[in-house]
Amino acid sequence: MATQIDAYGLLAEEFKSEDVTDQLAAARRIPIIASCMGPDRCRSQLVPFLKSAVGEYTDEILHAIGKACGAMVAACGGGDQAAVLLPLLETLCEHEETVVRNNAVEALVIVGAAMTGPVIQEQFAPMVKRLSSADFFPSKISAAGLYASVYPSTPHPQRPALRKQFELLTKDEMPMVRRAAFAHLPALCKAVEKEVLMMDMSPIFNELSSDLQESVRELAVENAVAMVEGLSADEATRLFGAFLDNVQNETSRSMRVHKAKHFVKLTSAMHPTRPMRDQVQAFLRLIAIDTELEVRTEVSLNIAAFCSHLEAQTLLGSILPVLRELSQMPQSPADQEVFAVNQAVRESIAEQTATLAPILGQEATVTELLPLIKVFLGDELVEIRRKALGSLAPVIETLGAEATEQHLLPQVLQMARDPIWRVRLAVVETIPVYAKHLGMDLFDATLKEIQVSALQDNTARIREAGIANLPILLQRFGDQWLTDAMLPVIKSGARNSGPMTHLQRITAVQAVGALSGALQGPALEALVEEVVVPLSRDKVAVVRIACSASLKQIVKGNDSAYARDTLRPLLVQLSSDSDPDVKILAEMGIAG
């Protein structure tokens, strides 16, 4: 009991301090103090104390109190006992400061979720009504966020009146109140019955989505995305079809940006009542004609998702011509300025164009899609070349080995020697895709050299990508291929001892660690003995660090005699190394 009294007394003393820092620290400890006091004293002492403090402290302190209330439900006894927090939170809901009100509303939602229906109707619902009918707009703003908590427990005969009460907020003369009501409309729509949503909530949405105040109607698209979940295509079309069409002519930039961002989600929700192919022109207007760069950029991120719903004929006749026009340098100087501004759009097109290949098929990919992809592969901007290279997997899968070798590989092989390391990296990262579709012989003839070069590259990211490819290539081509094609490179790197060759030794050790999950038994043990064990005594600390890391990776989950008798004793030796990083990694390996 003494500990409880001291904890509460300390809280009260810190609140009396003239130092705001002490007050704020005390407010943040409220949930801990509440749990120490026990439910009875929490309800009888702490909550009244906090209620009396509301008018005396800064907004920052009240913000912390409101947040603490949401964490005090269990400390107050949980369930219906949490109703003791309602007066305190109602007072905070009336505060002018937005963050204070928001925390109070969030806490009230938590409190409401803990209470039973009868108590909600007895104590929570009257509070919502008082806030909704208050003269001061902050109270109404707070009330808008609480209807979804009240509605499920409201008796059916009283629900129309509750909805009418909410509707009054949506028609309030203050734009901030209407905005708050619109912001919380999706939550209420999830609580109401389906027929109520279609008949009563739909007119509210339509009215607020065309509100004269941009700050109100700019929420419409995000709300539509939230409300469309769980609706059939026919219901979604009835609710949002006309709205989606009208957004195209909206003067609000933010609404057009939101439409561009969520275009596919909204249009796919209405499919097949409104077929996706009927939305092609709207999509193209957003990506090619809209005056706002952010709109064009956002919708360009949806190219792959949108086109996945279309057939090849639509892609060839409508989508690809526009993508070509946006991607190729125009002739007139004025158009060239616009072209330069559209860099983000071109990057998105470069990254997503390849996803059209499976829909188009091999022949159309060769004749129609590859020319556009080659434009990106030859672009002067590094990011466009890199993104085009990194997204070629669907094209390779569609073309197959012969067509890939004939139409794509020559340019890819040339780019594998690009002086810009990010371009080379994009080629190395796609090597597993080529390996999957080209077969061993063609891979060896064309790309094996690139994989070898990656392990010896001066750029760490490329070496890391080359190492990551090794277990994938092992699984694809087998142990013998690894022994003949890659292990000589790894072993040679481990033996290098000239200036800056420590990077090759590190790569060799890391490669063994990466292969340990796919290479087992005597083959792995021999590789460890030849590469890792000798380098664990290397004079360069970073090489020993790599050894500790690889050994940790190798022994993890490995209960073989070799791991117990050879590798773990080696980790014990490294745990006494003079370098602290070597020691730490070795100790982690020993601990498993």
Side-chain angles (χ1 to χ4, degrees), residues 321-356:
V322 175
L323 297 185
R324 287 194 200 99
E325 185 177 349
L326 291 172
S327 305
Q328 295 176 335
M329 178 72 75
Q331 298 297 320
S332 69
D335 291 339
Q336 288 176 7
E337 291 182 10
V338 176
F339 181 80
V341 170
N342 266 342
Q343 177 182 337
V345 176
R346 290 197 296 127
E347 286 183 16
S348 293
I349 297 173
E351 191 170 23
Q352 298 179 69
T353 297
T355 61
L356 307 185

Side-chain angles (χ1 to χ4, degrees), residues 362 392-413 427-428 430-451 472-473 476-477 481:
Q362 187 185 69
L392 286 176
V395 174
I396 299 166
E397 293 171 359
T398 302
L399 293 180
E402 184 178 346
T404 298
E405 181 187 15
Q406 180 181 353
H407 298 289
L408 190 59
L409 268 185
Q411 193 163 1
V412 171
L413 294 175
V427 177
V428 174
T430 54
I431 280 178
V433 180
Y434 293 103
K436 178 181 178 182
H437 296 281
L438 298 186
M440 185 191 301
D441 293 339
L442 183 54
F443 181 89
D444 283 348
T446 55
L447 290 163
K448 185 181 77 172
E449 182 183 346
I450 296 173
Q451 170 63 25
I472 303 173
L473 295 175
R476 178 63 55 186
F477 297 143
W481 179 88

Side-chain angles (χ1 to χ4, degrees), residues 133-183:
S133 58
D135 295 329
F136 200 30
F137 74 88
S139 300
K140 296 180 180 180
I141 291 174
S142 298
L146 301 174
Y147 280 83
S149 298
V150 175
Y151 192 89
S153 63
T154 301
H156 284 273
Q158 298 175 22
R159 289 182 176 183
L162 186 66
R163 296 195 297 270
K164 185 66 176 177
Q165 192 173 295
F166 180 82
E167 187 178 356
L168 292 176
L169 297 179
T170 69
K171 299 178 183 296
D172 195 271
E173 62 180 10
M174 294 291 292
M176 289 179 288
V177 177
R178 299 199 301 275
R179 177 183 170 86
F182 203 13

Side-chain angles (χ1 to χ4, degrees), residues 15 58 60 70 89 161 169 190 225 231 292 323 340 433 470 499 543 592:
F15 264 100
T58 64
E60 192 174 13
L89 290 170
L169 297 179
K190 289 181 180 179
V225 170
L231 298 180
E292 285 290 341
L323 297 185
V433 180
L470 290 174
V543 178

